[in-house]
Amino acid sequence: MKIILNGELYHTSCKTVRELFSELKFDDKAKYVCILNGYQESDTVCLKEGDEVFLIDKNVLPPREQWEKIICARHTPGVYEKVKKAKVAIAGLGGLGSNIAMMLARTGIGHLHLIDFDTVDLTNLNRQQYSIRHVGRFKTEALKEQLLDICPFLDIRIDTTYVTKDNVLDLFQDDDIVCEAFDNAECKAMLTEQLLLKSKKTALIAASGMAGYGNSNDIKSRKIRNNFYICGDEVTGAEQGIGLMAPRVTLCAAHQANLVLDLIIKS
């Protein structure tokens, strides 16, 4: 029987993964994770012709080629080949942007572009992907460090700068998709106007309305026009008595990240 084992063609007469462990002389099965056709299985599962099997040592960081095959194995066939080529920018690395970046890194987006001018402070820690050790550091640098801890082979470009009308087109000229994650309404409007009017190839995923708590199902994704999408409830902004809190902000960030994947995979 022919199977694909850890990304390579392999001939075996084994009927189960457990038998395969024995054939390979992997005595300590607890050290390994078994991924069969993109799904984590026990060693009792049966094998059939053409199966794709990954036996992954939990305690070893593999070389890049093997790492990519492992990530690919956890996705629907054909998905990883697309996402690893994509170039996605995140404008603003606060509650939305830092969470979007984390999700996209975990899904294998190959090229991430992180833009923010600000540093981490204590008021950020209620909803943003930073910790005490990052306080006082630029968000671009702190977030890049964390993302590389998740996936050391990511291509990450950072721009520690303020996005303005004068530099917006140069900043995003190489990006396929831009996630707008600003706090400031004027900056949101400026980025949207400049990209939609002057860049025909870049898709923009903006956010509006994610303050407070409750009403999770009000957070939605909506296509406004060609290459322009918006996520959020489009109503609830932060104000006195209604702050930005991790659960609802993260819900909106998840909508943006999920939409990024949807656009990449369907392209």
Side-chain angles (χ1 to χ4, degrees):
M1 176 169 60
K2 297 177 184 177
I3 63 173
I4 304 299
L5 176 62
N6 290 349
E8 304 294 337
L9 182 64
Y10 185 79
H11 295 263
T12 183
S13 58
C14 297
K15 293 182 170 58
T16 67
V17 171
R18 179 174 294 173
E19 292 179 13
L20 187 61
F21 271 117
S22 297
E23 181 174 276
L24 296 169
K25 296 181 171 53
F26 289 177
D27 297 325
D28 188 1
K29 299 180 184 67
K31 282 180 56 180
Y32 293 88
V33 174
C34 173
I35 307 297
L36 177 64
N37 299 325
Y39 186 77
Q40 186 169 336
E41 290 279 11
S42 71
D43 64 353
T44 61
V45 69
C46 293
L47 294 171
K48 63 182 184 298
E49 184 81 19
D51 276 345
E52 185 176 51
V53 183
F54 277 82
L55 301 178
I56 304 163
D57 191 324
K58 298 176 182 178
N59 304 313
V60 175
L61 178 64
R64 179 169 187 159
E65 183 180 356
Q66 186 71 10
W67 173 283
E68 289 194 342
K69 287 177 180 177
I70 291 168
I71 297 297
C72 185
R74 289 295 274 161
H75 289 76
T76 305
V79 168
Y80 184 64
E81 286 77 5
K82 286 192 172 185
V83 298
K84 75 176 182 179
K85 296 176 184 177
K87 297 179 179 180
V88 180
I90 304 170
L93 303 178
L96 287 173
S98 63
N99 280 291
I100 293 168
M102 283 288 181
M103 294 179 218
L104 294 182
R106 292 185 189 281
T107 54
I109 296 295
H111 310 278
L112 286 175
H113 183 190
L114 311 178
I115 305 102
D116 201 302
F117 69 93
D118 206 0
T119 56
V120 180
D121 67 58
L122 288 173
T123 68
N124 302 147
L125 303 187
N126 78 320
R127 67 196 185 281
Q128 301 180 20
Q129 287 286 346
Y130 306 104
S131 58
I132 289 291
R133 68 188 174 93
H134 297 122
V135 171
R137 294 183 59 188
F138 284 115
K139 290 182 178 180
T140 48
E141 296 173 359
L143 189 57
K144 178 179 179 179
E145 179 183 277
Q146 293 189 88
L147 297 181
L148 291 177
D149 280 343
I150 295 168
C151 184
F153 304 120
L154 277 175
D155 174 35
I156 301 177
R157 171 188 166 191
I158 63 173
D159 278 301
T160 307
T161 188
Y162 197 91
V163 180
T164 68
K165 187 176 181 179
D166 295 327
N167 68 12
V168 62
L169 295 181
D170 287 337
L171 273 175
F172 300 107
Q173 63 180 336
D174 296 326
D175 300 310
D176 304 316
I177 301 172
V178 175
C179 291
E180 177 275 308
F182 291 142
D183 293 331
N184 184 282
E186 291 181 359
C187 291
K188 286 175 176 284
M190 179 276 297
L191 179 63
T192 301
E193 180 182 28
Q194 292 299 310
L195 285 182
L196 294 182
L197 286 178
K198 299 178 181 179
S199 178
K200 303 300 182 185
K201 69 178 183 68
T202 306
L204 175 64
I205 302 175
S208 176
M210 77 290 301
Y213 54 90
N215 299 321
S216 297
N217 292 334
D218 288 343
I219 303 290
K220 301 182 185 301
S221 300
R222 185 166 69 94
K223 183 175 182 178
I224 305 298
R225 47 173 274 195
N226 193 37
N227 275 352
F228 182 33
Y229 306 81
I230 194 162
C231 301
D233 68 13
E234 301 182 46
V235 175
T236 313
E239 58 184 51
Q240 289 187 24
I242 304 178
L244 293 167
M245 301 174 71
R248 212 156 185 267
V249 170
T250 306
L251 275 171
C252 188
H255 270 258
Q256 288 183 272
N258 189 54
L259 189 50
V260 168
L261 292 174
D262 191 49
L263 294 178
I264 291 168
I265 294 165
K266 290 180 179 178
S267 64

